[in-house]
């Protein structure tokens, strides 16, 4: 229950039209949080900080990820960072 509260609540993780979406929220008392998930054959390490969101793809599966209504290509075995995401 707690894990789902963090992932679905604070990270705002949803699956829409077969794609993973994040709408992160970082409580003022927190500096960061992170978690690992599996999605469509990819293992993703998600790190949300005061600066934004970083997603590392640990498999050779290409994905398209939605972050606050913007789509980003995430190649296999690659990493994306989206800074200055409004986290409130």
């Amino acid at each position: 229950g707690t894990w789902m509260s963090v992932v679905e609540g604070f990270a705002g993780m949803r699956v829409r039209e077969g794609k993973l979406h994040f709408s992160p929220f970082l409580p003022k008392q927190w500096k960061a949080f992170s978690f690992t998930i599996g999605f469509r054959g990819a293992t993703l390490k998600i790190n949300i900080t005061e600066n934004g969101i970083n997603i590392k793809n640990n498999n050779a599966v290409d994905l398209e990820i939605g972050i606050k209504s913007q789509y980003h290509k995430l190649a296999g075995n690659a990493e994306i960072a989206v800074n200055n995401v409004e986290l409130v």
Side-chain angles (χ1 to χ4, degrees), residues 3 6-7 11 26 30 32-37 44-49 54:
W3 186 87
V6 171
V7 171
L26 189 66
W30 295 12
F33 67 95
S34 63
F35 56 93
T36 301
I37 59 164
L44 305 174
K45 174 72 174 181
I46 316 298
N47 189 31
I48 297 170
T49 69
N54 181 285

Side-chain angles (χ1 to χ4, degrees), residues 2-83:
T2 302
W3 186 87
M4 287 180 62
S5 294
V6 171
V7 171
E8 292 179 1
F10 295 128
M13 188 181 86
R14 304 284 188 273
V15 177
R16 295 188 188 126
E17 299 177 9
K19 296 176 185 166
L20 201 55
H21 288 257
F22 294 93
S23 185
F25 166 79
L26 189 66
K28 288 184 181 186
Q29 308 90 314
W30 295 12
K31 297 287 184 196
F33 67 95
S34 63
F35 56 93
T36 301
I37 59 164
F39 183 75
R40 305 213 185 266
T43 303
L44 305 174
K45 174 72 174 181
I46 316 298
N47 189 31
I48 297 170
T49 69
E50 296 169 314
N51 297 321
I53 184 170
N54 181 285
I55 304 173
K56 182 170 180 12
N57 185 347
N58 292 314
N59 297 88
V61 177
D62 295 342
L63 297 172
E64 189 171 26
I65 306 284
I67 301 171
K68 294 275 191 166
S69 72
Q70 292 269 323
Y71 285 99
H72 303 270
K73 299 281 185 186
L74 178 56
N77 297 308
E79 189 170 348
I80 59 171
V82 179
N83 294 323

